[in-house]
Amino acid sequence: MWFDLDGLPVCFPYDAIYPEQHEYMGELKRALDARGHALLEMPTGTGKTAALISLITSYALANPSRPLRLFYCTRTVHEMEKTLAELRLLFSHLPPADACRLLALGLSSRKNLCVHPQVSASGAVDTGCRRLTASWVCEKAAYDRESATPLCDYFETFDAAARKGDLALYIQPGVYTLADLRSLGRERRICPYFLARHMVKHANVVVYSYQYLLDPRVASIVSSEMQKDCVVVFDEVHNIDNVCIEALSVSIRKQTIQGAKGNLRHISQQIDRFKATDASRLNAEYRRLVDGLAQRGNLPISDAWLANLALPDDILKEAVPGNIRKAEHFLTVLWRLVRNLDERVDTENVVNERPVSFATSIYSLAGIETTTLRFLYDRLQSLLLTLEITDTDEFMHIQKICDFATLIGTYKRGFSIIIEPYDDRMPDIRDPVIQLSCHDASLAIQPVFNRFQTVVITSGTLSPIDLYPRLLNFNPVISRSFTMSLTRDCICPMVLTRGSDQLPVSTKFDMRSDPGVVRNYGRLLLEMASAVPDGIVCFFVSYSYMDGIVSSWNDMGILQEIMQHKLVFIETPDVVETTLALDNYRKACDCGRGAVFFSVARGKVVEGIDFNRHYGRLVIMFGVPFQYTLSKLEYLRETSQIQEGDFLTFDALRQAAQCVGRVIRSKADYGMMIFADKRYSRHDKRSKLPGWIRSHLHDAHLNLSTDMALHTAREFLRRMAQPYDKAGSSGQTEENLQDKARDAMEM
């Protein structure tokens, strides 16, 4: 359908539009007109992606004098594919004259795009690719054709077409998913990974991961040529501050240090080999380093490595310090640094330091100046390229230590160094770690806000929305939270404060191990498992708490009673195990047996898995998922005037909302949410939940016992079982149209 939005003709790929989608597009258009940033909270299941891409594409087509390009950032490959499916549907509704001018594609790692039979089947795709595509490998094969140097035929086709300027012949306008790119690569015998990397410069819409913009190491490789007039969208960004912080945080364990020592011995052998066979390469590198690393020019596309973890604006544009220009001198400095870290990690007590004091101690004990620390990563990268190293995975240990050193030498604030002798998960086993923790999320995302005119931060879980500008240090021209229009109450949130015995339930530290609390939580799940059909998802505040409570339920016999009604599956830190558990959980729901899935707030499942329809009729959030980090809280209080209690509550409630939001993914869906902790009944906690949840959280559901919650659940399920007249109102018809289309795409 086409409609007019404040003078802008908008193409929308469905026959009807939700009221909140229309409002969402209006706010987005105002942000584009103002050439400013936007912060938009849109309820889950209301077609946020369709609204975004429709408005921005229509805006670009209607303003040819202002060429807009869209970079859509998602968390997972699954979400990337869903976005590209929406784009394909949109393109099919555009006039042919417009559609034939547009190119949209997904960009992912070598692992997801490689089509070389042997390399793609190996466990180290990046390394396997470099062995066949590095510039020195190709030069050797061209120089000595009788050497039988193995090459990648797919990359050779790409390289030849790139030299001729013929790459546009391989990819026509349209929408290309990752599967489409792989199929194109096999059909045309061209590398889909390098082809996609190249076509990013020409595409109108690019869909890729957050890290391609937020992680400085990756952004410099794939996003360096984006222009200021690009529109950047970060979708599902409730945790974007944590993503930014993780991008600039480094952990060094004893195994890392031992691996780095092995890396240095290997590099020493390679230096000796080059001195004996090709000393000119080392001499050329030395002469270049006298003028600074920035003088090395652009690397071939096949040689580009992860860039410096420090932000480009923070890197000195001066000559590399003289004491690390020669390869052997640089190696000596690295040995001193590694030995210093090896001594520091062997501590019996927890140590908390600032970057300045830590860098000062390195200087006093190892004789390495702070300025030198800043250049270690770039100097290492230069040396590994000079030595023609292709096995990048093998040298990840020394790279991580150089990452650590570069950040220590670059930043004086926003970080802390914590040395811990034991892991919290295994307090009886010594496992020392040096953790460089970033506390300032704006360090990673600020270059994005400064570089592009319009950055859209959007999610279904942004409440309270006013904290994000302070956390990310930006000023949005549009900041808005939308509600969900429904023709029936298909969401039933409840707050459970006590068990059937009227004893309060909570995961507060002084209550969580109480046998009465554990028993009441178990009886709650047992009662719900006997009454609620299909799938039930349970979220716990941590892995350790989940392990403890499930073990207690097993000892009490509650787990066995639950399994008489439904099968039980558990998320673990192991990705393969969790994937297998999810597959079997879905099979149990599909066959009508029903199942319970135990998961963890902040775990992998909550970030990318939907439990829509019969896969999730009920979500139980056991407790409030607080996460206490003293250094970060102190930093936020000092720099952003965000009080500890405010941030802790904000962070815990957005995680809880993200967990329960997994249960409903469209307006035709329905599900229940139980917040099982007495603290949710308090207004200061409950008010931090998204508006679309609060609007359905009735007063009668704020202080329930297990018996009352069971009664409420049965009444809700009885209502949902009644015939639903989707044609009874225009709103219902709209829901049916969009939901049917989305279901068809997901099949």
Side-chain angles (χ1 to χ4, degrees):
M1 66 177 284
W2 285 84
F3 66 92
D4 182 88
L5 180 67
D6 296 332
L8 174 69
V10 177
C11 178
F12 190 67
Y14 298 97
D15 294 333
I17 186 170
Y18 300 149
E20 56 268 39
Q21 285 178 313
H22 191 275
E23 293 181 53
Y24 186 90
M25 289 183 181
E27 297 294 350
L28 188 56
K29 178 180 181 296
R30 280 188 274 279
L32 293 176
D33 288 340
R35 305 194 179 204
H37 308 313
L39 184 63
L40 302 171
E41 183 180 45
M42 181 79 152
T44 183
T46 51
K48 175 172 71 269
T49 302
L52 268 166
I53 61 177
S54 297
L55 187 282
I56 295 174
T57 301
S58 299
Y59 195 97
L61 292 172
N63 295 276
S65 61
R66 183 187 167 190
L68 292 178
R69 299 174 64 211
L70 171 60
F71 283 78
Y72 198 102
C73 302
T74 68
R75 295 173 304 170
T76 64
V77 171
H78 175 65
E79 289 175 348
M80 182 189 305
E81 295 286 21
K82 286 168 62 176
T83 303
L84 289 165
E86 290 275 14
L87 275 165
R88 176 164 286 162
L89 184 64
L90 172 64
F91 278 30
S92 69
H93 285 74
L94 291 173
D98 289 333
C100 70
R101 318 191 262 121
L102 299 177
L103 171 64
L105 55 84
L107 177 62
S108 189
S109 62
R110 287 177 171 90
K111 180 181 69 174
N112 294 322
L113 285 174
C114 179
V115 293
H116 189 283
Q118 288 75 40
V119 175
S120 61
S122 68
V125 177
D126 282 1
T127 296
C129 176
R130 286 184 179 279
R131 288 174 178 169
L132 302 180
T133 63
S135 60
W136 55 86
V137 174
C138 298
E139 289 170 4
K140 180 180 179 181
Y143 178 76
D144 186 3
R145 297 186 179 277
E146 297 182 359
S147 64
T149 302
L151 298 174
C152 174
D153 294 339
Y154 300 90
F155 176 76
E156 290 300 297
T157 304
F158 164 82
D159 192 47
R163 293 175 187 276
K164 295 178 182 178
D166 292 340
L167 286 174
L169 300 176
Y170 285 86
I171 190 163
Q172 302 301 314
V175 179
Y176 293 83
T177 65
L178 302 187
D180 294 334
L181 289 170
R182 289 193 296 267
S183 297
L184 174 68
R186 294 188 183 99
E187 180 184 338
R188 303 293 299 273
R189 301 290 295 179
I190 190 169
C191 175
Y193 171 73
F194 287 111
L195 179 62
R197 280 265 306 274
H198 175 82
M199 295 309 295
V200 163
K201 296 181 289 188
H202 308 285
N204 306 96
V205 184
V206 178
V207 184
Y208 57 15
S209 168
Y210 289 175
Q211 276 68 29
Y212 282 50
L213 268 179
L214 296 180
D215 190 329
R217 293 166 295 191
V218 184
S220 64
I221 299 176
V222 298
S223 302
S224 58
E225 298 184 6
M226 293 168 58
Q227 303 301 314
K228 186 174 180 62
D229 57 4
C230 295
V231 177
V232 175
V233 173
F234 289 105
D235 194 8
E236 296 297 336
V237 294
H238 54 281
N239 277 339
I240 192 169
D241 53 317
N242 291 331
V243 174
C244 294
I245 284 170
E246 289 171 8
L248 295 177
S249 297
V250 181
S251 292
I252 297 176
R253 296 187 177 274
K254 197 74 172 178
Q255 302 94 305
T256 309
I257 294 172
Q258 296 305 318
K261 292 178 180 178
N263 293 159
L264 293 178
R265 284 190 286 269
H266 188 171
I267 292 173
S268 179
Q269 294 171 0
Q270 291 294 97
I271 291 174
D272 292 341
R273 182 175 68 85
F274 267 79
K275 280 184 175 180
T277 60
D278 192 4
S280 60
R281 287 183 64 89
L282 291 172
N283 293 331
E285 183 194 42
Y286 173 78
R287 290 192 298 271
R288 177 170 52 76
L289 291 175
V290 172
D291 299 324
L293 285 167
Q295 302 301 317
R296 64 183 170 182
N298 294 324
L299 291 171
I301 190 172
S302 58
D303 289 355
W305 266 18
L306 296 180
N308 196 316
L309 190 58
L311 302 177
D313 289 342
D314 294 323
I315 299 173
L316 290 174
K317 303 301 182 183
E318 61 186 43
V320 177
N323 62 333
I324 58 172
R325 289 175 190 164
K326 284 189 173 294
E328 54 270 30
H329 296 168
F330 172 58
L331 207 61
T332 301
V333 169
L334 287 183
W335 270 114
R336 295 207 306 268
L337 175 63
V338 169
R339 291 188 182 111
N340 178 264
L341 294 177
D342 198 8
E343 294 172 0
R344 293 295 301 271
V345 79
D346 285 328
T347 180
E348 295 297 327
N349 303 308
V350 176
V351 178
N352 191 337
E353 289 190 50
R354 299 297 184 200
V356 173
S357 63
F358 200 88
T360 301
S361 69
I362 290 177
Y363 176 69
S364 62
L365 297 173
I368 306 173
E369 296 181 350
T370 302
T371 304
T372 302
L373 291 175
R374 299 187 72 177
F375 283 95
L376 290 189
Y377 185 84
D378 277 339
R379 180 65 186 92
L380 175 68
Q381 182 187 50
S382 175
L383 180 59
L384 293 179
L385 288 171
T386 299
L387 298 177
E388 300 180 348
I389 300 292
T390 56
D391 294 349
T392 54
D393 293 342
E394 180 185 345
F395 291 87
M396 65 180 181
H397 302 292
I398 192 62
Q399 290 181 61
K400 181 173 286 190
I401 286 178
C402 288
D403 269 344
F404 176 89
T406 297
L407 289 171
I408 292 292
T410 301
Y411 296 105
K412 296 180 180 179
R413 300 188 64 200
F415 290 82
S416 63
I417 298 94
I418 303 172
I419 307 176
E420 296 179 291
Y422 299 96
D423 192 317
D424 290 340
R425 294 170 295 182
M426 296 177 292
D428 298 326
I429 301 176
R430 184 172 175 78
D431 185 17
V433 59
I434 302 177
Q435 173 71 41
L436 175 64
S437 299
C438 177
H439 304 312
D440 191 344
S442 69
L443 291 175
I445 200 171
Q446 198 57 222
V448 180
F449 287 129
N450 294 337
R451 184 176 171 191
F452 303 109
Q453 288 180 348
T454 301
V455 177
V456 180
I457 305 290
T458 187
S459 179
T461 312
L462 289 178
S463 298
I465 201 167
D466 60 318
L467 266 184
Y468 281 90
R470 295 160 69 186
L471 286 172
L472 303 178
N473 191 23
F474 79 112
N475 296 310
V477 296
I478 299 293
S479 181
R480 177 82 184 275
S481 182
F482 300 90
T483 58
M484 181 187 293
S485 61
L486 294 171
T487 55
R488 62 171 182 170
D489 286 334
C490 59
I491 305 171
C492 182
M494 297 175 266
V495 174
L496 184 127
T497 61
R498 58 196 190 280
S500 300
D501 56 6
Q502 302 305 309
L503 290 176
V505 293
S506 177
T507 57
K508 288 179 65 177
F509 188 76
D510 57 349
M511 292 181 64
R512 62 173 55 186
S513 300
D514 186 294
V517 173
V518 174
R519 186 182 302 106
N520 276 324
Y521 274 154
R523 301 306 299 182
L524 167 66
L525 179 56
L526 175 59
E527 296 287 358
M528 291 298 168
S530 65
V532 178
D534 302 318
I536 297 177
V537 186
C538 301
F539 286 98
F540 299 86
V541 295
S542 67
Y543 281 112
S544 59
Y545 182 67
M546 179 176 70
D547 293 343
I549 201 169
V550 172
S551 177
S552 297
W553 287 348
N554 184 59
D555 295 339
M556 295 175 178
I558 294 176
L559 196 60
Q560 289 75 11
E561 293 184 65
I562 294 171
M563 294 181 69
Q564 291 179 9
H565 300 282
K566 297 182 185 296
L567 299 177
V568 175
F569 301 92
I570 301 179
E571 175 187 359
T572 71
D574 185 273
V575 176
V576 176
E577 289 180 357
T578 299
T579 302
L580 183 61
L582 272 171
D583 289 342
N584 288 323
Y585 169 83
R586 292 181 181 276
K587 289 178 183 177
C589 293
D590 288 337
C591 73
R593 175 71 170 84
V596 178
F597 194 86
F598 291 159
S599 187
V600 174
R602 297 184 174 87
K604 296 295 183 184
V605 169
V606 73
E607 288 300 326
I609 305 299
D610 294 338
F611 294 96
N612 57 326
R613 297 178 289 129
H614 62 294
Y615 298 124
R617 290 304 180 201
L618 168 67
V619 171
I620 304 175
M621 180 71 241
F622 288 110
V624 185
F626 285 110
Q627 188 176 57
Y628 190 82
T629 307
L630 180 60
S631 300
K632 179 178 179 180
L633 294 173
E634 290 176 347
Y635 182 80
L636 290 175
R637 186 179 64 248
E638 294 170 2
T639 60
S640 304
Q641 288 73 54
I642 298 175
Q643 297 303 310
E644 295 179 5
D646 292 341
F647 180 79
L648 285 172
T649 300
F650 155 77
D651 183 53
L653 270 293
R654 67 172 170 175
Q655 298 298 333
Q658 183 66 18
C659 291
V660 300
R662 301 293 92 196
V663 76
I664 184 158
R665 308 309 295 171
S666 74
K667 294 191 179 187
D669 200 0
Y670 65 89
M672 295 174 289
M673 311 165 178
I674 295 181
F675 297 92
D677 193 301
K678 66 176 185 177
R679 290 172 289 180
Y680 287 111
S681 63
R682 292 168 47 181
H683 182 266
D684 66 318
K685 300 291 188 293
R686 192 171 68 254
S687 63
K688 302 297 190 297
L689 291 170
W692 62 272
I693 294 180
R694 292 199 313 273
S695 63
H696 292 83
L697 188 54
H698 308 304
D699 291 342
H701 296 168
L702 293 180
N703 187 21
L704 302 182
S705 66
T706 298
D707 296 338
M708 297 165 66
L710 181 62
H711 174 75
T712 302
R714 285 173 172 161
E715 287 296 318
F716 174 78
L717 291 170
R718 189 176 295 115
R719 289 200 309 273
M720 292 300 103
Q722 302 307 308
Y724 178 36
D725 182 13
K726 294 185 174 65
S729 71
S730 60
Q732 291 167 335
T733 304
E734 293 164 6
E735 291 167 12
N736 193 29
L737 288 168
Q738 289 201 29
D739 293 329
K740 277 187 175 181
R742 288 193 184 88
D743 287 343
M745 286 191 297
E746 292 177 3
M747 294 297 287

